[in-house]
Amino acid sequence: MSATLGTNNTSDVATDEQDRTPTQQADICVVGAGPAGALIGYQLAKQDLDVVILEAGPEFSDADRLTQQEQHIRPGMSDPWEMGGQRDAYTTTGRGYPLNAARVKGVGGSTLHWQGMVMRLHERDFEMNTRYDVGVDWPIDYADLRSYYQAAESALGVAGAIDNPYAPPRETSYPLPPFPPSHSDSIFAPACETLGIDMHSVPNARNSERYDGRAACQGYGTCKPVCPSGAKYTAESHVQKARAAGARVIDRAPVQELVHDDAGEIINHAVYLTPDGTEYHQSAQRFVLACGGVENARLLLLSQSKQYPDGLANTSGAVGRFFTDHLFAGVGGRLDQPTRQNHVGFNTSECHQFYDDTSPVEGVKLEFLNYAGPSPVNEALTADTWGDELLEQLQTSYGNHIAVGGLIEQLPHASNRITLNDSETDEHGNPVPHIEWSIDDRTSRAIRRANDIQRRILETLGASIEWTVGPDATGPAYHQMGTTRMGTNPNKSVVDADCRSHELSNLWIIGSSVFPTGGAMNPTLTIAALSLRAADAIFATL
């Protein structure tokens, strides 16, 4: 990693010789160096506070991004972000949740491999119980986050246009101009116009022009899982800014538990291990837990004590419960014309038209995919033919695929949860997370509704439909939410409106785990906005 992604300066990359001893007299200890931890670490470090960030995974070098891209596109190559193995073990029941299919333990967290779409939640998302008598209300509303959303868009570098008539109100334009519509967007447009379906641009956390020391998008098309140019935002950017402001970042330092004082009122220290197996205790005045929807809950459950026999900060019993995600719905097929599939590695158009209506209550966000169908690179690398025969094969299989995808809201249920599996342990002997996850009938109906709309679009285009991802075949979007939900009632929630623990006065929990409901919008911008808001709240306590 370097101060400005897209360069080859690796002087700050952590090595095995890194000093991993605790910071003395730390003001703030942040657990996790993903987008939440990186943003809050930087915000507090630049206030001249002594900040230490503990990250379970390694720190990757941006000089290796082209090699990682090659790992991704070559058949049979390994995960470019090193997921898997005993360190990352988990178990699952119910529908089954493929946790390791899309997560990263390392500096940058999920932003290392994310798609980069950044939408604000709608106003209705904060008031689901009041409006529709389902789920719960957030203890804050859209107005409370509005200025922080703007600050988050500037921090991440969002490219977008104000052309979405269904979006919540905003105060200014995006910091970067939007990306132009893809070729396939122009194919979708006439059909959507015929059907009365509105298309509008997608706000993306990738540079449409140079911004914040990072290069403009070079069009590699491999945004997920790796951006070789550094145009797509990763939390590495704010980790480096935090370092420049004086913060320490200790990678490969998995926290084993948080230990409180005798009274059970504050956290005294975080217990972490180093690659050589040494155990250290990091003390601090304030602690921030920012390691994702699964690991936030798991660490609290691992931190049991006499005062908290069911897990730290878990008197409510809500830690680990109400695990939610977004579901994918999609319909795809072929056209008798070129679609230039995979020409762009990210969505440039979407539709929020069916999001705020109330039939069904669950939100539906449509996405016009420009990366449907097989990649010509993968097709060529896995083919058994050569020369003209291979060219003919590629021309037959590539170039005319088209698809409409979408995210579907899942309402929270206490039965969907993260617990500890005492019968299986990780490399440190700790119980692995166990995920119980299923999809209810309401969500299935919302997926069918999305499929109906998607199918009408492709049929209007005259496409031959070849596949449908519906209720029986759907999978998660890997947006883990809800496991340490915020609320005003300490008997029903884990943190308050400022993301501060109801029970431990110096503990804040940040990230999508605090979402009471998840909407159907990609969560990272809301994670960033909540992190900036929590940073202000923490600073106000000093």
Side-chain angles (χ1 to χ4, degrees), residues 4 62-63 67 81 86 88 95 118 125 132 151 169 216 325 435 460 491 528:
T4 56
D62 65 306
T67 301
W81 303 113
Q86 191 179 9
D88 309 308
R95 192 180 187 96
V118 279
D125 292 321
Y132 309 127
D325 205 320
I435 306 173
T460 302
N491 296 320

Side-chain angles (χ1 to χ4, degrees), residues 192-216:
C192 287
E193 184 175 359
T194 297
L195 295 170
I197 294 174
D198 293 325
M199 296 177 65
H200 48 79
S201 63
V202 179
N204 276 282
R206 54 176 50 80
N207 291 352
S208 55
E209 57 188 34
R210 190 168 182 83
Y211 182 83
D212 199 24
R214 295 182 286 118

Side-chain angles (χ1 to χ4, degrees), residues 375-445:
S375 161
V377 175
N378 286 335
E379 287 283 288
L381 291 172
T382 57
D384 295 324
T385 57
W386 300 90
D388 292 341
E389 188 176 354
L390 173 59
L391 179 60
E392 182 179 352
Q393 177 181 325
L394 292 175
Q395 289 172 335
T396 301
S397 64
Y398 171 75
N400 61 352
H401 290 261
I402 197 163
V404 185
L407 290 188
I408 310 300
E409 179 176 14
Q410 180 183 35
L411 293 171
H413 294 282
S415 58
N416 287 337
R417 62 187 300 200
I418 307 297
T419 56
L420 300 179
N421 186 345
D422 294 323
S423 64
E424 186 168 343
T425 58
D426 64 13
E427 62 180 348
H428 303 301
N430 294 316
V432 302
H434 178 71
I435 306 173
E436 301 173 56
W437 186 63
S438 60
I439 300 171
D440 65 12
D441 290 341
R442 294 180 63 103
T443 306
S444 294
R445 288 198 298 271

Side-chain angles (χ1 to χ4, degrees), residues 124 354-355 357-364 442 445-447 449:
R124 54 84 88 177
F354 307 99
Y355 192 83
D357 59 1
T358 59
S359 179
V361 169
E362 287 81 355
V364 172
R442 294 180 63 103
R445 288 198 298 271
I447 294 171
R449 180 193 183 212

Side-chain angles (χ1 to χ4, degrees), residues 453-473:
I453 299 168
Q454 293 161 341
R455 194 174 294 109
R456 281 193 286 126
I457 294 172
L458 291 193
E459 289 173 347
T460 302
L461 283 174
S464 60
I465 296 175
E466 297 183 338
W467 56 265
T468 298
V469 176
D472 297 329

